[in-house]
Coordinates of all heavy atoms in Angstrom, one line a residue:
V20 N -130.6 -33.2 -70.1 CA -130.4 -34.3 -71.1 C -130.4 -33.7 -72.5 O -129.4 -33.9 -73.2 CB -131.5 -35.3 -71.0 CG1 -131.4 -36.3 -72.1 CG2 -131.5 -35.9 -69.6
A21 N -131.4 -32.9 -72.9 CA -131.5 -32.4 -74.2 C -132.4 -31.2 -74.3 O -133.3 -31.2 -73.4 CB -131.9 -33.5 -75.2
A22 N -132.3 -30.4 -75.3 CA -133.2 -29.3 -75.4 C -133.4 -29.0 -76.9 O -132.4 -29.2 -77.7 CB -132.7 -28.0 -74.7
I23 N -134.5 -28.4 -77.3 CA -134.8 -28.1 -78.6 C -135.6 -26.8 -78.6 O -136.4 -26.5 -77.8 CB -135.7 -29.2 -79.3 CG1 -135.9 -29.0 -80.8 CG2 -137.0 -29.4 -78.6 CD1 -136.4 -30.2 -81.5
N24 N -135.2 -25.9 -79.6 CA -135.9 -24.6 -79.6 C -137.3 -24.7 -80.2 O -137.7 -25.8 -80.7 CB -135.0 -23.5 -80.3 CG -135.0 -23.6 -81.8 OD1 -135.2 -24.7 -82.3 ND2 -134.9 -22.5 -82.4
F25 N -138.0 -23.6 -80.2 CA -139.4 -23.6 -80.6 C -139.7 -24.2 -82.0 O -140.6 -24.8 -82.2 CB -140.0 -22.2 -80.4 CG -139.6 -21.2 -81.5 CD1 -140.4 -21.0 -82.6 CD2 -138.4 -20.6 -81.4 CE1 -140.0 -20.1 -83.6 CE2 -138.0 -19.7 -82.4 CZ -138.8 -19.5 -83.5
S26 N -138.7 -23.9 -82.9 CA -138.9 -24.3 -84.3 C -138.3 -25.7 -84.6 O -138.6 -26.2 -85.6 CB -138.3 -23.3 -85.2 OG -136.9 -23.3 -85.1
G27 N -137.5 -26.2 -83.7 CA -136.8 -27.4 -83.9 C -135.5 -27.3 -84.7 O -134.8 -28.2 -85.0
G28 N -135.1 -26.0 -84.9 CA -133.9 -25.8 -85.7 C -132.6 -25.7 -84.9 O -131.6 -25.7 -85.5
S29 N -132.7 -25.7 -83.6 CA -131.5 -25.7 -82.8 C -131.7 -26.7 -81.6 O -132.7 -26.7 -81.0 CB -131.4 -24.3 -82.2 OG -130.1 -24.1 -81.5
I30 N -130.6 -27.4 -81.4 CA -130.7 -28.5 -80.4 C -129.4 -28.6 -79.6 O -128.3 -28.4 -80.2 CB -130.9 -29.9 -81.1 CG1 -132.4 -29.9 -81.7 CG2 -130.7 -31.1 -80.2 CD1 -132.7 -31.2 -82.5
Y31 N -129.5 -28.9 -78.3 CA -128.4 -29.2 -77.5 C -128.5 -30.6 -76.8 O -129.7 -31.0 -76.5 CB -128.2 -28.2 -76.4 CG -127.8 -26.8 -76.9 CD1 -128.7 -25.7 -76.8 CD2 -126.5 -26.6 -77.4 CE1 -128.3 -24.5 -77.2 CE2 -126.1 -25.3 -77.8 CZ -127.0 -24.3 -77.7 OH -126.7 -23.0 -78.2
Y32 N -127.4 -31.3 -76.6 CA -127.4 -32.5 -75.9 C -126.4 -32.5 -74.8 O -125.3 -31.9 -74.9 CB -127.1 -33.7 -76.8 CG -128.1 -34.0 -77.8 CD1 -128.0 -33.6 -79.1 CD2 -129.3 -34.7 -77.5 CE1 -128.9 -33.9 -80.1 CE2 -130.3 -35.0 -78.4 CZ -130.1 -34.6 -79.8 OH -131.0 -34.8 -80.7
A33 N -126.7 -33.2 -73.7 CA -125.6 -33.4 -72.7 C -124.6 -34.4 -73.3 O -124.9 -35.3 -74.1 CB -126.2 -34.1 -71.4
D34 N -123.3 -34.3 -72.9 CA -122.3 -35.1 -73.5 C -122.6 -36.6 -73.2 O -122.2 -37.5 -74.0 CB -120.9 -34.7 -72.9 CG -120.4 -33.4 -73.4 OD1 -120.9 -32.9 -74.4 OD2 -119.5 -32.8 -72.8
S35 N -123.2 -36.9 -72.1 CA -123.5 -38.3 -71.7 C -124.5 -39.0 -72.6 O -124.5 -40.2 -72.6 CB -124.0 -38.3 -70.2 OG -125.1 -37.6 -70.1
V36 N -125.2 -38.2 -73.3 CA -126.3 -38.9 -74.2 C -126.0 -38.6 -75.7 O -126.7 -39.2 -76.5 CB -127.7 -38.4 -73.8 CG1 -127.9 -38.6 -72.3 CG2 -127.9 -37.0 -74.2
K37 N -125.1 -37.8 -76.0 CA -124.8 -37.4 -77.4 C -124.5 -38.6 -78.2 O -123.7 -39.5 -77.8 CB -123.7 -36.4 -77.4 CG -123.6 -35.5 -78.6 CD -122.6 -34.4 -78.5 CE -123.0 -33.4 -77.4 NZ -122.0 -32.3 -77.3
G38 N -125.2 -38.7 -79.3 CA -125.0 -39.9 -80.2 C -125.9 -41.1 -79.9 O -126.0 -42.0 -80.7
R39 N -126.6 -41.0 -78.8 CA -127.5 -42.1 -78.4 C -128.9 -41.6 -78.3 O -129.8 -42.4 -78.6 CB -127.1 -42.7 -77.0 CG -125.7 -43.3 -77.0 CD -125.4 -44.0 -75.6 NE -125.5 -43.1 -74.5 CZ -126.4 -43.3 -73.5 NH1 -127.2 -44.3 -73.5 NH2 -126.4 -42.4 -72.4
F40 N -129.1 -40.4 -77.9 CA -130.5 -39.8 -77.7 C -130.7 -38.8 -78.8 O -129.8 -38.1 -79.3 CB -130.6 -39.2 -76.4 CG -130.6 -40.1 -75.2 CD1 -130.3 -41.4 -75.3 CD2 -131.0 -39.6 -73.9 CE1 -130.3 -42.2 -74.2 CE2 -131.0 -40.4 -72.8 CZ -130.6 -41.7 -72.9
T41 N -132.0 -38.7 -79.2 CA -132.4 -37.7 -80.2 C -133.7 -37.0 -79.7 O -134.7 -37.7 -79.5 CB -132.7 -38.4 -81.6 OG1 -131.5 -39.1 -82.0 CG2 -133.0 -37.3 -82.6
I42 N -133.6 -35.7 -79.7 CA -134.8 -34.9 -79.3 C -135.4 -34.4 -80.6 O -134.7 -34.0 -81.5 CB -134.4 -33.8 -78.3 CG1 -135.7 -33.1 -77.8 CG2 -133.5 -32.8 -79.0 CD1 -135.4 -32.1 -76.7
S43 N -136.7 -34.3 -80.6 CA -137.5 -33.8 -81.8 C -138.8 -33.3 -81.3 O -139.2 -33.5 -80.2 CB -137.7 -34.9 -82.9 OG -138.4 -36.0 -82.3
R44 N -139.5 -32.6 -82.2 CA -140.8 -32.0 -81.8 C -141.7 -32.0 -83.0 O -141.2 -31.8 -84.2 CB -140.7 -30.7 -81.2 CG -140.2 -29.6 -82.1 CD -139.9 -28.3 -81.3 NE -141.1 -27.8 -80.6 CZ -141.1 -26.9 -79.6 NH1 -140.0 -26.4 -79.1 NH2 -142.3 -26.4 -79.1
D45 N -143.0 -32.1 -82.8 CA -144.0 -32.0 -83.8 C -145.0 -31.0 -83.3 O -145.8 -31.3 -82.5 CB -144.7 -33.4 -84.0 CG -145.6 -33.3 -85.2 OD1 -146.1 -32.2 -85.6 OD2 -146.0 -34.4 -85.7
N46 N -144.8 -29.8 -83.8 CA -145.7 -28.7 -83.4 C -147.1 -28.8 -83.8 O -148.0 -28.2 -83.2 CB -145.1 -27.3 -83.8 CG -143.9 -26.9 -83.0 OD1 -143.7 -27.4 -81.9 ND2 -143.1 -26.0 -83.5
T47 N -147.4 -29.6 -84.8 CA -148.8 -29.9 -85.2 C -149.5 -30.8 -84.2 O -150.7 -30.7 -84.1 CB -148.8 -30.5 -86.6 OG1 -148.3 -31.9 -86.5 CG2 -148.1 -29.7 -87.6
K48 N -148.7 -31.5 -83.4 CA -149.3 -32.4 -82.4 C -148.9 -31.9 -81.0 O -149.3 -32.5 -80.0 CB -148.7 -33.8 -82.5 CG -149.1 -34.5 -83.9 CD -148.5 -35.9 -83.9 CE -148.9 -36.6 -85.2 NZ -148.4 -37.9 -85.3
N49 N -148.3 -30.7 -80.9 CA -147.9 -30.2 -79.6 C -147.1 -31.2 -78.7 O -147.4 -31.3 -77.5 CB -149.1 -29.7 -78.8 CG -149.7 -28.5 -79.6 OD1 -149.1 -27.6 -80.1 ND2 -151.1 -28.5 -79.5
T50 N -146.2 -31.9 -79.4 CA -145.5 -33.0 -78.7 C -144.0 -32.9 -78.9 O -143.6 -32.6 -80.1 CB -146.1 -34.4 -79.1 OG1 -147.5 -34.4 -78.9 CG2 -145.4 -35.5 -78.4
V51 N -143.3 -33.2 -77.9 CA -141.8 -33.3 -78.0 C -141.4 -34.7 -77.7 O -142.0 -35.4 -76.8 CB -141.1 -32.4 -77.0 CG1 -139.6 -32.5 -77.0 CG2 -141.5 -30.9 -77.3
Y52 N -140.4 -35.2 -78.4 CA -140.0 -36.6 -78.2 C -138.6 -36.7 -77.8 O -137.7 -35.8 -78.0 CB -140.2 -37.4 -79.5 CG -141.6 -37.3 -80.1 CD1 -141.9 -36.4 -81.1 CD2 -142.6 -38.2 -79.7 CE1 -143.1 -36.3 -81.6 CE2 -143.8 -38.1 -80.2 CZ -144.1 -37.2 -81.2 OH -145.4 -37.1 -81.7
L53 N -138.3 -37.8 -77.1 CA -136.9 -38.2 -76.8 C -136.7 -39.6 -77.2 O -137.1 -40.5 -76.4 CB -136.5 -37.9 -75.3 CG -135.1 -38.1 -75.0 CD1 -134.2 -37.0 -75.6 CD2 -134.9 -38.1 -73.4
Q54 N -136.0 -39.9 -78.3 CA -135.7 -41.2 -78.7 C -134.4 -41.6 -78.0 O -133.4 -40.9 -78.2 CB -135.5 -41.3 -80.2 CG -135.1 -42.6 -80.7 CD -136.2 -43.7 -80.5 OE1 -137.3 -43.5 -80.8 NE2 -135.7 -44.9 -80.1
M55 N -134.4 -42.7 -77.2 CA -133.3 -43.1 -76.5 C -132.8 -44.5 -77.0 O -133.6 -45.5 -76.8 CB -133.6 -43.2 -75.0 CG -134.2 -41.8 -74.5 SD -134.4 -41.9 -72.7 CE -135.7 -43.1 -72.5
N56 N -131.6 -44.6 -77.5 CA -131.1 -45.8 -78.0 C -129.8 -46.2 -77.2 O -129.2 -45.3 -76.5 CB -130.7 -45.7 -79.5 CG -131.9 -45.3 -80.4 OD1 -133.0 -45.8 -80.1 ND2 -131.7 -44.6 -81.5
S57 N -129.4 -47.4 -77.4 CA -128.2 -47.9 -76.7 C -128.2 -47.5 -75.2 O -127.2 -47.0 -74.6 CB -126.9 -47.3 -77.3 OG -126.9 -47.7 -78.7
L58 N -129.3 -47.8 -74.6 CA -129.5 -47.4 -73.2 C -128.6 -48.2 -72.2 O -128.2 -49.3 -72.5 CB -131.0 -47.7 -72.7 CG -131.9 -46.6 -73.2 CD1 -133.4 -47.1 -73.2 CD2 -131.8 -45.3 -72.4
K59 N -128.1 -47.5 -71.2 CA -127.2 -48.0 -70.2 C -127.9 -48.0 -68.8 O -128.8 -47.1 -68.6 CB -125.9 -47.1 -70.2 CG -125.2 -47.0 -71.5 CD -124.1 -46.0 -71.4 CE -123.4 -45.8 -72.8 NZ -122.3 -44.8 -72.7
P60 N -127.4 -48.8 -67.9 CA -128.0 -48.8 -66.6 C -127.9 -47.4 -65.9 O -128.8 -47.0 -65.2 CB -127.1 -49.8 -65.8 CG -126.7 -50.8 -66.9 CD -126.5 -49.9 -68.1
E61 N -126.9 -46.6 -66.3 CA -126.7 -45.3 -65.7 C -127.7 -44.3 -66.3 O -127.8 -43.1 -65.8 CB -125.3 -44.7 -65.9 CG -124.7 -44.8 -67.3 CD -123.9 -46.1 -67.5 OE1 -124.3 -47.2 -67.1 OE2 -122.8 -45.9 -68.2

């Protein structure tokens, strides 16, 4: 679906989610997020 490097400075998305999903990370909280918008049944 998506990937983010250790610093957050490099990101990849699958074509099927590009423009709808956003990956991010907060290293101070040791947490990675996936914001998913415009969700589809698929």
